[in-house]
Structure formats: C-alpha cells, structure tokens
Amino acid sequence: MLVPALLILLFCLRGHAGLSPHFLQQPDDLVALLGEEARLPCALGEYWGLVQWTKDGLALGGERDLPGWSRYWISGNAASGQHDLYIKPVELEDQASYECQATQAGLRSRPAQLHVLVPPEAPQVLGGPFVSLVAGVPANLTCRSRGDARPTPELLWFRDGIRLDGTTFYQTLLKEGTTGSVESILSLTPSSHDDGATLVCRARSQALPSGKDTAITLSLQYPPVVTLSAEPQTALEGEKVTFLCQSTAQPPVTGYRWAKGGSPVLGARGPMLEVVADASFLTEPVSCEVSNAVGSANRSTALDVQFGPVLQARPEPLSVDVGEDASFSCAWRGNPLPRVTWSRSGDAQVLASGPTLRLPSVGPEDAGDYVCRAEPGLSGLGGGAAEARLTVNAPPIVTALHSAPAFLRGPARLQCLVFASPAPDAVVWSWDEGFLAAGSQGRFLVETFPAPEGRGGQGSALISVLHISGTQESDFSRGFNCSARNRLGEAGTQVSLGRRDLLPTVRIVAGVAAAAMTLLMVIIGVTLCCWHHGKASFSKQKNLVQIPGSSEGSSSQGPEEEETGSGEDRGPIVHKEHSDLVLDEEGALESKDPTNGYYKVRGVSVSLSLGEGPGGGLFLPPPSPLGPPGTPTFYDFNSHLGMVPPCRLYRARAGYLTTPHPRAFTSYSKPTSVGPPDLAPRTPPFPYAAFPIPSHPRLQTHV
C-alpha cells in the first residue's frame, strides 16, 4: 500500500508543478504474419506509475513478463517510459484490438488492431498432376485453395508463364465474416496440340505476394489427325496411283475406311490404297476415314487426272425456215480442257471455235451435217467428234430422173426426185389433158415412195413415178410436168419420154454376131486342115466345103458300111440320124448332135452358119465345076473369104470331123417377140454391150 500511495503523492506534486503524464508514443494497427513476431509500441512521459496492456478490453497484467501469456511480454526502459508489447510467435488468436493504459494517470492509448496474415498453401488442381482430356471437347479445370489463408488468396492460371483468361472464381462462406475454401475454374476446349502441355495454378495474397504454384500436365485423348496424299498427284488416265493415309491419334488408331465419291471402296482396309486413274477421279474425290476409341476423322483429295475429250452434251438436230438463224451447241469435258471447233461434214474448214456455232439467216446451201470436234489437249490424249443435221425448210426442189426410152404401144415409166422440208403436201403429175397425184387414171398410174437416201439437210426425199401403159405417138412429143408443194412454196420440172426403135438394133447385133462366127469357123477350119496335111494326101480340089444333103443321088449306109466302105468314089456317105447339118423346110440351118453312137473320123468337114441372103434362105456361093457328074456338090469359098488356105479340104466320103454338141455351131434365130430391155441410166439407145458374145466349144476329133 505504501508504493501506490507514494506514486499518487508524486503525481500530485508534479501536477502542482505544472507537468502531467502523457503518451510519447501510441501503438498503431499492425499486420503480422502467422508465426512471426509482432511489436506494439507504447511510451509515456512524466509517468512512472503502473502501465498495462489490454486485448479486446481484457487486461493482460501489470507485470512486464505478463504471466499467463507465454508468448506475450512487455519490453523497454521503464524509467524512460518505454512499455512495448511483444507477441511471438503470432497466432491467429492474436488478432485483436490492443491498448496501452497508464492506470494511475487514467491514460489510455488509442486502440491498435493487430491483423494476423496467413500465407496461402499450394493450391490443389482436381485430377492432377496428370489431367486427361479429350481434344475438341470443352472441359473445366478446378483449382482449389487449401488451409485457412488470410486474407483470402487469389487463384490464377498460367501457361508458359502467360496468364490465362477465361477463369471463373468461386468462394465458399463458412460463417459470417469468415471464408472457407476458394476455387478457380478454368474453362477450355483443348486440341491435339495441347497434349503434354503444363498448366500452373497459383495462389497468392497479401501474406504471400509471390504466391505458391501447383502444376499439372495435360494428357490429351484425341481422334485421329489425318493427312491424305496421292503419288503422283497428277496422273494420266490409266496410270497407277497410290493414296497414303497418315494419322496421329491418342489412343491408337483402330481402323481405316476408304471411299470414292462418297461410295465405299470395297476391300480397302489399311493406310494405303492403289487405284488406276480415270476421268472419274477428277470429280469424285478419294477420302480416308481413320477411327480410334475417341472418335474419327476424314480427309479427302481430288486426283488431277489428265484424259482426252469426253462428250457431255451432243448437238441437237435443227429444223429452221429459210432466212432464220440457226445455233448448235455441244459440251466436251477433258483435262486439260479440250479445244472445240465446228466444221461441215466432209469439209476441213473451221467455221467456229467454242461450244456454240451460230449461222445467221440460213439458206438451202447451209443445209447439211455439222461436226462439233474436240481437239486433243496438251496431253495429246484422245479427240472426238459429234454430228448434227441442219434442215432448212424451203420450197421443194424437183429434179427429173433418167427415164428409159419406150417402144410405141409399149409400157413407159417417167420418174422425178423431190427434196422438201417440210414434206410436200402432194406430188402431182400433169400433162396436156389432165393431172394425177396418186392412183390411176386411164393409161396412167402414179406411185410415190421415199427415196433410199435423202440429200443431207434438205428434208425427206421422195421418188414419184408415172407409169404409162400402151404409149401413143403423142406421148413422145408432149411434156409431162412433175410438181410438188409445201407450206413454203412449190416447184416443178418437165420430164420427156424418149422413143426406142427395135429393128435397127436387132439387125446390127445379128450382123456383128454372124461376122464373128464366120471368122471363127474359118480360123478353126484352116487350123485343122494344116494339122491333117502332114499325115495324108488330100484331094486336088481346093477350098471345097461339102454341103451334106445337096446331092440327089446320095444314099445312106449303116454304121457297118461306113466302117468297111470301099475306096470307090460313090459320093458322100451320110446317115440321116448322124447328119451334121440339115436344111429344114424354111431353109434355116439346123445343127444336130453327131455323136450318137460310135463313129470313126477319117477326114475333116467344116460347117459354117452363114445367115440369110438378100432374098431369104441360105446364102451360098456358086457351085464349083470340079468333080464328075453325080458327085456331091462342092462350093468354093475362096473368093468370099479373101484368103488362100495352105492345104486342101478333105472330101466328105472319107468321113467327118464332128463336134461334141450341136452348140459348137452358132446360128442366129430371129426372136418371135422383143420386150423393152431394162437399161441402166445413161445407157445409149443401142447398147451393143448388152448382148452376149457367142461362145464356141472346143472341137474334138477321133482318129
């Protein structure tokens, strides 16, 4: 009790002296880290009494070592008025309001707030340290703070030292004034390039400005990343091409699928496909689809195939009226693009280049076939052409066709050819007293039918025929008109009927045939005569020809007599059934087969077909005076043939040189009737070439 009393007395004495206790230094708010030391200063002047500290109003005690507060003490020179409060180590419970009080002087310092900071711990990333994500699939990465950090830490995301944006911050309140865990969510859509990337979540606060980091590594699962290539990329049609499908994937690839133009390529399973290039690869790309457990990816490529022209659209036939415009078009495709030209069929002149041909104001001369031709490209492959016909609608064109000359009172036929587009309404034949389009009228009949081939581009071709039965004199002098008409006009032509005379033609042909036969028989007779001249002696009479049956005193013998006949000169021995030449009742020369039965040939007898004489009948030269009376008559042809044979002709008595068939002797027979020959166009009125040349079988001899 003595000490406090003394202190009060001392204070009163000083107060009377004019000096009062006061604070030389008061404590301020303080921030201290958890576990470190905190110092709250307090200094008093003119005061030597009791000093104490309070925590949130609670007195800590007047002793300097503050018993009961093991981590608290008061330090400083008390004589000089220094009374600082120390706290070590600072704990969370130390966060409070502190005052320095001079109790005997009734002085209280201003309150000083002690803030205890708790540094954040390294945050936690859910799923770390290796986080598996799927490429292309949005994902959230969660970073969560740990411990009771004060103040609340800030969570940040970094990659390669660069802060990432797009994070969402969440805070959980435990109770009023306090916070629980803090989370930061990073939203991202990873790609295959993020595989193996390192992300850092950093927790920082005022207590630890540098912060603490937690790193994670991304393990990406991604569908295949495909690269498709072709070797060679540019190929000729028919060339072998290899496609290679390369990919990277996590997890590994499980399968390949190939397609062309969207259609699966059967049998293709691996990363390689071999094909033979054709034009379809230019418009139908090849695709490769690669799959794994995560998904699949597809890549396609079009092959640059060079090929020759391929016709896509043919030119269409046109039918236009004369004077109008005409236009053709065609389409070709090729690689490289082919050059397209137009020309007329059969003409090399180029009319136009490109897919379209325009013909202004066409006329009949423009009708015909036009060719759209694709020239080979730089590759030199292929080439092609397509035709289309231009039909020019115009008035008909009527042309007279060749008509064979006709005989008087015989049949006749006149023809005309009609080209018309559009087809003619009618084809009409007209003459002096009438006209006829179809059917028959009296002696006239009209037929109209399509021609075998029309003139290109001038429409359909018709042949109209006018038949005349029993021609009359007036038919050869009048003109027959063939005319046709359509909606654009009409046209016609005149056709005349030619006349044919039969008799001169037959006479000329018969004369030529007789002359040729005579010459041939003479040559044969002379040849045989010379052949026998070296083997036997002949009669002295020259150039004699026996005319069998001319002797009245001749008689017949059988074959036995002929074989055993004597050398007596009894005239010709003739068998009627074996006669070579027999004169019929009309005087015509008739030949018969002399080989019926066995016979022997001893000499030569030449028979000639001489035709008719001027007075009718057989023409013969005067008889030769040689030979005794009663012998067969012989005729000398020497003066008529104009030649001297080198040998003598053998008498008929010794036998005959016969022919195997009577056709060996050719004679002319007058025809009983002659019809109009069917002559080819432009045949002359007397077509000698139409008659066959007589043939002569080779003569046979039996010796």
Side-chain angles (χ1 to χ4, degrees):
M1 294 293 293
L2 181 61
V3 173
L6 291 176
L7 290 175
I8 295 172
L9 179 63
L10 180 61
F11 179 76
C12 291
L13 290 175
R14 287 186 177 182
H16 287 287
L19 296 174
S20 63
H22 59 279
F23 282 101
L24 297 177
Q25 184 179 9
Q26 297 186 51
D28 295 319
D29 291 343
L30 179 65
V31 175
L33 292 178
L34 181 69
E36 295 184 356
E37 182 182 80
R39 172 180 170 270
L40 295 172
C42 180
L44 293 169
E46 301 298 327
Y47 179 75
W48 292 271
L50 180 65
V51 177
Q52 69 174 3
W53 286 87
T54 62
K55 176 183 178 183
D56 290 335
L58 178 64
L60 297 179
E63 292 80 3
R64 296 187 72 84
D65 58 354
L66 299 177
W69 302 89
S70 59
R71 296 180 292 107
Y72 291 58
W73 72 91
I74 298 173
S75 178
N77 188 355
S80 62
Q82 193 72 32
H83 306 278
D84 298 336
L85 177 64
Y86 285 86
I87 304 172
K88 184 179 181 181
V90 176
E91 295 182 1
L92 288 177
E93 62 185 23
D94 297 332
Q95 182 169 299
S97 177
Y98 293 87
E99 289 183 1
C100 178
Q101 297 178 353
T103 58
Q104 296 173 345
L107 296 177
R108 300 174 64 183
S109 69
R110 60 176 175 268
Q113 187 70 35
L114 176 62
H115 297 279
V116 178
L117 300 182
V118 180
E121 296 181 10
Q124 176 188 11
V125 178
L126 302 183
F130 296 97
V131 179
S132 179
L133 301 177
V134 177
V137 178
N140 294 327
L141 297 179
T142 301
C143 179
R144 179 177 297 169
S145 67
R146 295 186 301 175
D148 189 14
R150 295 187 181 183
T152 301
E154 181 183 15
L155 301 179
L156 305 175
W157 288 94
F158 294 87
R159 178 176 179 175
D160 299 330
I162 300 174
R163 182 176 174 177
L164 300 178
D165 296 327
T167 60
T168 303
F169 185 78
Y170 292 95
Q171 216 173 32
T172 304
L173 298 177
L174 298 179
K175 60 181 179 179
E176 187 175 356
T178 63
T179 59
S181 64
V182 178
E183 293 180 353
S184 178
I185 299 176
L186 174 65
S187 298
L188 75 162
T189 302
S191 66
S192 59
H193 302 291
D194 297 326
D195 187 36
T198 299
L199 300 182
V200 174
C201 180
R202 177 176 297 170
R204 74 179 183 182
S205 67
Q206 184 182 357
L208 188 64
S210 61
K212 286 189 176 181
D213 297 341
T214 298
I216 62 169
T217 301
L218 298 183
S219 176
L220 264 294
Q221 291 187 351
Y222 52 91
V225 178
V226 181
T227 302
L228 181 60
S229 61
E231 182 60 36
Q233 186 65 40
T234 300
L236 296 178
E237 190 173 21
E239 188 176 355
K240 183 179 178 181
V241 178
T242 301
F243 290 90
L244 182 61
C245 187
Q246 297 175 310
S247 63
T248 57
Q250 181 64 34
V253 172
T254 57
Y256 293 85
R257 191 179 73 165
W258 292 88
K260 174 177 175 285
S263 299
V265 179
L266 301 179
R269 293 290 184 268
M272 184 179 297
L273 176 66
E274 292 184 351
V275 299
V276 176
D278 57 39
S280 64
F281 284 90
L282 196 64
T283 56
E284 299 178 3
V286 173
S287 61
C288 173
E289 183 179 85
V290 185
S291 304
N292 68 354
V294 176
S296 62
N298 188 298
R299 289 293 180 273
S300 63
T301 182
L303 189 64
D304 184 16
V305 180
Q306 294 187 348
F307 58 94
V310 177
L311 183 62
Q312 288 185 305
R314 301 184 64 88
E316 297 294 334
L318 293 178
S319 178
V320 298
D321 290 348
V322 63
E324 295 182 352
D325 296 342
S327 178
F328 290 101
S329 63
C330 69
W332 295 83
R333 72 181 183 96
N335 187 28
L337 194 65
R339 177 175 177 263
V340 179
T341 59
W342 291 87
S343 62
R344 295 196 69 161
S345 180
D347 190 353
Q349 181 182 1
V350 175
L351 302 178
S353 297
T356 304
L357 171 65
R358 291 182 175 86
L359 301 173
S361 186
V362 298
E365 67 279 1
D366 296 317
D369 295 327
Y370 289 83
V371 181
C372 172
R373 181 173 287 104
E375 303 294 339
L378 297 178
S379 62
L381 299 176
E387 288 191 6
R389 173 162 294 184
L390 173 62
T391 301
V392 178
N393 298 326
I397 299 176
V398 183
T399 306
L401 297 179
H402 171 77
S403 300
F407 298 103
L408 181 63
R409 291 182 294 278
R413 187 174 69 172
L414 302 177
Q415 303 179 97
C416 68
L417 179 63
V418 179
F419 293 102
S421 177
D425 301 328
V427 179
V428 180
W429 287 89
S430 60
W431 54 95
D432 294 341
E433 64 270 18
F435 64 91
L436 186 61
S440 61
Q441 177 182 320
R443 299 182 297 115
F444 301 97
L445 171 67
V446 171
E447 290 182 315
T448 302
F449 51 87
E453 292 185 4
R455 186 180 303 174
Q458 291 192 353
S460 59
L462 300 175
I463 294 179
S464 185
V465 181
L466 175 64
H467 297 274
I468 306 174
S469 61
T471 59
Q472 300 176 359
E473 286 288 349
S474 59
D475 295 336
F476 299 102
S477 59
R478 76 174 75 187
F480 293 88
N481 187 62
C482 176
S483 60
R485 70 174 181 274
N486 61 11
R487 63 180 177 82
L488 297 176
E490 64 177 303
T493 187
Q494 192 174 51
V495 185
S496 299
L497 178 62
R499 185 168 181 172
R500 175 185 295 179
D501 189 3
L502 176 62
L503 186 57
T505 302
V506 175
R507 288 181 176 177
I508 293 175
V509 172
V512 172
M517 189 63 188
T518 301
L519 179 61
L520 179 61
M521 296 304 295
V522 170
I523 293 174
I524 293 174
V526 172
T527 301
L528 293 176
C529 175
C530 293
W531 182 70
H532 283 280
H533 181 68
K535 296 180 66 177
S537 297
F538 296 94
S539 174
K540 292 183 180 182
Q541 299 183 21
K542 298 180 180 180
N543 303 326
L544 298 180
V545 177
Q546 178 187 12
I547 304 301
S550 62
S551 175
E552 296 177 358
S554 62
S555 61
S556 299
Q557 282 184 314
E560 297 83 357
E561 294 176 349
E562 181 183 1
E563 179 140 23
T564 59
S566 64
E568 185 181 356
D569 188 4
R570 301 183 325 188
I573 301 174
V574 180
H575 294 278
K576 183 175 182 181
E577 64 273 18
H578 293 156
S579 297
D580 291 318
L581 296 176
V582 178
L583 291 175
D584 57 13
E585 295 178 356
E586 298 178 359
L589 194 60
E590 179 181 358
S591 62
K592 292 186 177 180
D593 185 1
T595 61
N596 294 332
Y598 176 80
Y599 61 91
K600 290 186 178 181
V601 178
R602 292 286 187 263
V604 177
S605 175
V606 180
S607 301
L608 300 178
S609 177
L610 302 178
E612 297 182 358
L618 183 64
F619 173 81
L620 294 175
S624 171
L626 300 177
T631 60
T633 305
F634 292 87
Y635 295 89
D636 189 356
F637 288 87
N638 195 36
S639 60
H640 297 280
L641 297 179
M643 57 181 292
V644 178
C647 59
R648 299 173 181 175
L649 297 178
Y650 188 53
R651 287 185 62 184
R653 177 185 175 184
Y656 298 92
L657 177 64
T658 61
T659 59
H661 195 274
R663 284 196 300 270
F665 303 93
T666 303
S667 63
Y668 169 75
S669 298
K670 181 178 179 180
T672 58
S673 64
V674 178
D678 190 5
L679 302 179
R682 295 181 295 276
T683 303
F686 300 98
Y688 304 107
F691 291 88
I693 299 175
S695 59
H696 304 281
R698 181 168 56 91
L699 299 179
Q700 297 180 358
T701 60
H702 297 270
V703 180

